[in-house]
Amino acid sequence: MPELPEVEVTRRSLAGAIQGARVTGLRLGKPLRWPLGADPEALLGARVGEVQRRGKYLWLPLEDRGGLLMHLGMSGSLAFLGATPAAGPHDHFDLHTDRGLLRLTDPRRFGAVVWGAALEVSPVAGLLAGLGLEPFDERFDGAHLHARLRGRRVAIKQALLAGDIVVGAGNIYACEALFMAGIDPRLPAGRLSRPRADRLAVAVRAVLGQALAAGGTTLRDFRDAHGVAGSFQMQAQVYGREGQPCRRCGAAVRRIVQGARSTFFCPACQKR
DNA sequence: CTGGGCTCCTGTCAGC
DNA sequence: TGCTGACAGGAGCCCA
């Protein structure tokens, strides 16, 4: 579910509510992607700092006790709750604080909560190593994109998804950005011209910005930390619209498979 | 270094 | 109604 906009919407909705809270308890459900890597007892009493985001990861600093790196995987969401409802079958991590309960719900359990002494130290540093630029970083532009795509033979869609050039665009937004830029998702990445790289960089930013403004995309169950759903799915141009008319030209939107993921595009608007 | 395939896990939905 | 297979917002890891 969660691509950069959803993770950032989660961060924004959570940060103010939890900052300054003290950890009073911790409950682990079924195993997530990786073990926590810390003794829950050792985190009691720690004060929560300002929640940060890097790519699709969230970093919850625990002053003097390192912090927690969280990832929502494919089906995860975080809720900050005033009360303490009984844990459901998919609630696999609870961080109790004196201001409320931070709960990770994640049916597929591809998500993770990993303790680390600091962002710059293993294992957190290792997980963040190799991530591309943040899309809203001023260094991310057509020149950067073009340079990093040089020599790559994978399809441009897969190069965007890989996240080692620019982070944040997952399956929905990679499709949408390529549509906005008028680029065929099958184009070999290294063959993207410089002018088109400029357009793609702009499109990636624009799509992620629009999604952020819409509160993210709620296909099924995404909610921010206070339970609010996103609405970007209402303005998606191609994602999930196989067979329906392109909103720009009317041609039927196509669905293909790239790297075992669905890609949606308009065969008329998007060129090689 | 690059690319491709596999893997983790559960829920939902279409089709028979 | 029940079963089966495809598919779902991610990304680390291994091997060629």
Side-chain angles (χ1 to χ4, degrees):
Chain A
M1 139 212 309
E3 304 182 32
L4 184 144
E6 291 72 36
V7 177
E8 177 62 16
V9 162
T10 298
R11 189 195 69 79
R12 291 179 184 178
S13 59
L14 174 64
I18 201 171
Q19 185 166 3
R22 275 202 189 277
V23 176
T24 57
L26 208 146
R27 185 193 65 85
L28 302 175
K30 287 190 185 177
L32 293 165
R33 178 159 194 170
W34 296 296
L36 179 63
D39 175 7
E41 294 281 317
L43 303 181
L44 299 184
R47 192 179 287 276
V48 178
E50 185 177 4
V51 185
Q52 298 165 53
R53 180 190 57 74
R54 175 73 176 101
K56 298 170 192 171
Y57 287 95
L58 289 176
W59 173 247
L60 199 76
L62 298 174
E63 290 172 11
D64 301 326
R65 317 278 176 86
L68 298 173
L69 189 73
M70 315 183 89
H71 197 287
L72 302 179
M74 201 82 127
S75 58
S77 61
L78 285 170
F80 193 66
L81 307 163
T84 303
H90 303 308
D91 298 332
H92 301 303
F93 179 84
D94 282 349
L95 187 75
H96 294 270
T97 77
D98 57 2
R99 295 204 190 157
L101 167 64
L102 177 64
R103 169 167 285 174
L104 172 68
T105 302
D106 184 5
R108 293 178 74 179
R109 292 189 281 129
F110 290 170
V113 181
V114 175
W115 179 85
L119 276 173
E120 303 78 13
V121 178
S122 173
V124 174
L127 291 169
L128 301 183
L131 291 186
L133 289 178
E134 286 290 326
F136 295 105
D137 185 321
E138 57 185 21
R139 293 171 296 174
F140 173 63
D141 57 14
H144 180 262
L145 191 52
H146 189 250
R148 292 292 311 274
L149 290 173
R150 191 181 320 154
R152 289 227 208 169
R153 296 190 191 187
V154 281
I156 183 65
K157 154 83 176 337
Q158 288 168 273
L160 271 186
L161 270 188
D164 57 339
I165 297 176
V166 59
V167 294
N171 210 28
I172 297 176
Y173 303 120
C175 290
E176 295 296 318
L178 287 166
F179 173 82
M180 182 180 285
I183 297 165
D184 188 313
R186 299 165 294 187
L187 178 75
R191 290 184 43 207
L192 186 72
S193 70
R194 176 58 206 279
R196 303 183 88 200
D198 288 345
R199 273 200 280 160
L200 183 53
V202 168
V204 167
R205 273 216 194 96
V207 164
L208 294 177
Q210 287 172 12
L212 211 43
T217 296
T218 297
L219 291 183
R220 179 174 310 267
D221 46 20
F222 170 72
R223 295 286 189 280
D224 75 8
H226 302 300
V228 180
S231 66
F232 184 82
Q233 66 280 5
M234 307 295 293
Q235 34 180 320
Q237 302 294 300
V238 287
Y239 186 84
R241 301 194 62 244
E242 181 183 15
Q244 296 176 49
C246 169
R247 300 192 199 279
R248 183 185 287 167
C249 78
V253 171
R254 279 194 62 193
R255 171 182 174 275
I256 58 175
V257 175
Q258 296 180 288
R261 314 286 306 273
S262 288
T263 296
F264 299 89
F265 70 106
C266 170
C269 294
Q270 297 175 251
K271 311 238 182 333
R272 290 237 185 191

